[in-house]
Amino acid sequence: LPGLVQELNEHAKHLRGIDDRITTTQAVVPKALGKLKCQIPGREKDVEGSLDQLTKDASVIQELVTNITERLHESLNEAMSFNDLMHRQFEYKGNRLPDEISEFSGTVVSNLHRAENMAKKEMVTGAKDLIRLTDQVKTMIRASSAGFCPASLS
């Protein structure tokens, strides 16, 4: 379970890194692409393809985050059922299971609950922000590169 939490932390860190890169370059890229469009004619399709791929990648990330969240929720439900079963077993008079099993099942439930909350708070919002920023960058690039050819570059 600590491995799962660590993996979720790595995904959240990766999403924050992508978000930071998009945010820092969203003002610079449209102007550079506009100049590039004027200097190298016929590359609009390459830029459009890159923009479309960026949108697809962001959508894939959002789907993966949704998948992780759903799997965590299912695992948490199963762990809670198992934990309930363990508590009922420990209430039984003839119980021979060691006390550590109850503690371990509670720890698993606690860690899964933390992982699910972190996935919902960090990763889902990060994925939504990534989609939003991707759309903003696409709009900015298309708007600024459309018809942008200064006289000094022509």
Side-chain angles (χ1 to χ4, degrees):
L1 224 29
L4 179 63
V5 172
Q6 182 180 7
E7 183 180 342
L8 289 173
N9 281 333
E10 290 173 10
H11 287 301
K13 181 179 175 184
H14 183 68
L15 286 173
R16 281 192 294 272
I18 291 171
D19 182 42
D20 291 344
R21 286 193 312 238
I22 289 175
T23 303
T24 56
T25 59
Q26 76 186 106
V28 176
V29 171
K31 292 177 186 174
L33 285 175
K35 290 177 184 176
L36 185 64
K37 180 180 176 183
C38 296
Q39 293 173 350
I40 306 171
R43 293 294 181 186
E44 293 88 15
K45 290 183 181 179
D46 292 343
V47 172
E48 288 294 319
S50 297
L51 291 174
D52 291 339
Q53 186 62 41
L54 181 66
T55 303
K56 288 177 187 175
D57 290 347
S59 296
V60 167
I61 289 172
Q62 187 176 30
E63 289 174 22
L64 290 173
V65 166
T66 302
N67 188 18
I68 288 170
T69 306
E70 289 171 357
R71 289 172 67 187
L72 279 170
H73 184 72
E74 291 169 7
S75 298
L76 178 62
N77 286 340
E78 290 177 14
M80 287 173 57
S81 296
F82 180 78
N83 191 35
D84 183 51
L85 179 67
M86 286 294 101
H87 282 300
R88 284 187 274 141
Q89 174 64 30
F90 279 100
E91 291 172 1
Y92 177 66
K93 292 179 186 176
N95 177 37
R96 292 187 178 186
L97 293 174
D99 292 339
E100 293 85 24
I101 291 180
S102 177
E103 294 174 19
F104 292 151
S105 67
T107 303
V108 168
V109 169
S110 174
N111 285 336
L112 280 172
H113 188 64
R114 280 189 5 209
E116 183 184 34
N117 284 340
M118 184 176 64
K120 285 180 180 177
K121 290 178 183 174
E122 294 282 331
M123 295 175 70
V124 170
T125 16
K128 286 179 182 177
D129 288 345
L130 180 63
I131 294 285
R132 182 183 50 78
L133 285 173
T134 302
D135 290 340
Q136 284 179 354
V137 167
K138 275 178 59 173
T139 304
M140 288 175 61
I141 289 172
R142 286 183 177 147
S144 66
S145 65
F148 176 78
C149 258
S152 62
L153 293 176
S154 303

